[in-house]
């Protein structure tokens, strides 16, 4: 459960996607699916809930779906997912079902985090798959982006 230079590189890419989401009025979350050993990127995505009017439009959900299509398989055992915000229960469930090998996340989600904060779904031995978890990669950058976004939203509604 150690952070690698590739994990930092991929989180930087995920942050770029999160910034793009924010510029479009989406909650700034970005995700990248990459081969754990080679670092080859399979898919990238940002939040799309507002644009698509889709409650499943989370960045990691979209990145995993794209990765599976690109790979031609629903199993991502040899792949890592870097995501700027701790996955929710829906996304953690997809991570388990897609057999993602590793999850690297930036900042914790105190309201919906299902990887470490509220639940530990990816490490639950009652499920048919467990993923390695790396926590806090570029935490400050990920948290600051979210804080600035919501501060701007609140100011606009004040």
């Amino acid at each position: 459960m150690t952070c690698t230079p590739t994990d930092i590189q991929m989180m930087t890419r995920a942050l770029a996607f999160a910034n793009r989401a924010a510029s479009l009025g989406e909650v700034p979350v970005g995700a990248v699916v990459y081969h754990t050993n080679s670092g080859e990127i399979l898919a990238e995505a940002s939040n799309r809930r507002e644009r698509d009017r889709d409650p499943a439009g989370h960045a990691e959900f979209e990145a995993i779906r794209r990765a599976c299509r690109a790979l031609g398989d629903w199993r991502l055992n040899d792949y890592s997912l870097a995501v700027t915000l701790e996955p929710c229960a829906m996304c953690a469930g997809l991570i388990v079902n897609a057999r993602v090998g590793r999850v690297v996340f930036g900042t914790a989600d105190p309201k919906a985090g299902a990887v470490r904060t509220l639940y530990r779904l990816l490490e639950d031995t009652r499920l048919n798959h467990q993923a390695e978890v790396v926590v806090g990669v570029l935490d400050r950058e990920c948290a600051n982006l979210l804080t600035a976004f919501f501060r701007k939203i609140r100011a606009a509604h004040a």
Side-chain angles (χ1 to χ4, degrees), residues 61-77:
F61 204 93
E62 185 62 28
I64 289 169
R65 293 181 74 209
R66 289 178 186 176
C68 289
R69 283 194 294 271
L71 189 61
D73 193 358
W74 58 269
R75 295 170 197 88
L76 298 173
N77 299 80

Side-chain angles (χ1 to χ4, degrees), residues 41-113:
I41 294 172
L42 199 53
E44 301 168 304
S46 60
N47 268 9
R48 299 184 54 92
R49 285 193 336 176
E50 298 300 327
R51 281 179 286 172
D52 294 348
R53 306 284 187 247
D54 180 358
H58 291 198
E60 59 269 50
F61 204 93
E62 185 62 28
I64 289 169
R65 293 181 74 209
R66 289 178 186 176
C68 289
R69 283 194 294 271
L71 189 61
D73 193 358
W74 58 269
R75 295 170 197 88
L76 298 173
N77 299 80
D78 297 329
Y79 291 84
S80 294
L81 167 70
V83 59
T84 56
L85 180 65
E86 178 181 7
C88 69
M90 174 185 70
C91 293
L94 182 63
I95 289 164
V96 169
N97 281 290
R99 311 292 197 271
V100 176
R102 293 173 71 244
V103 174
V104 178
F105 74 83
T107 195
D109 185 347
K111 294 185 179 183

Side-chain angles (χ1 to χ4, degrees), residues 100-127:
V100 176
R102 293 173 71 244
V103 174
V104 178
F105 74 83
T107 195
D109 185 347
K111 294 185 179 183
V115 174
R116 285 288 170 84
T117 304
L118 300 177
Y119 308 101
R120 289 179 169 253
L121 291 179
L122 302 187
E123 299 166 311
D124 191 326
T125 58
R126 295 171 295 178
L127 300 175

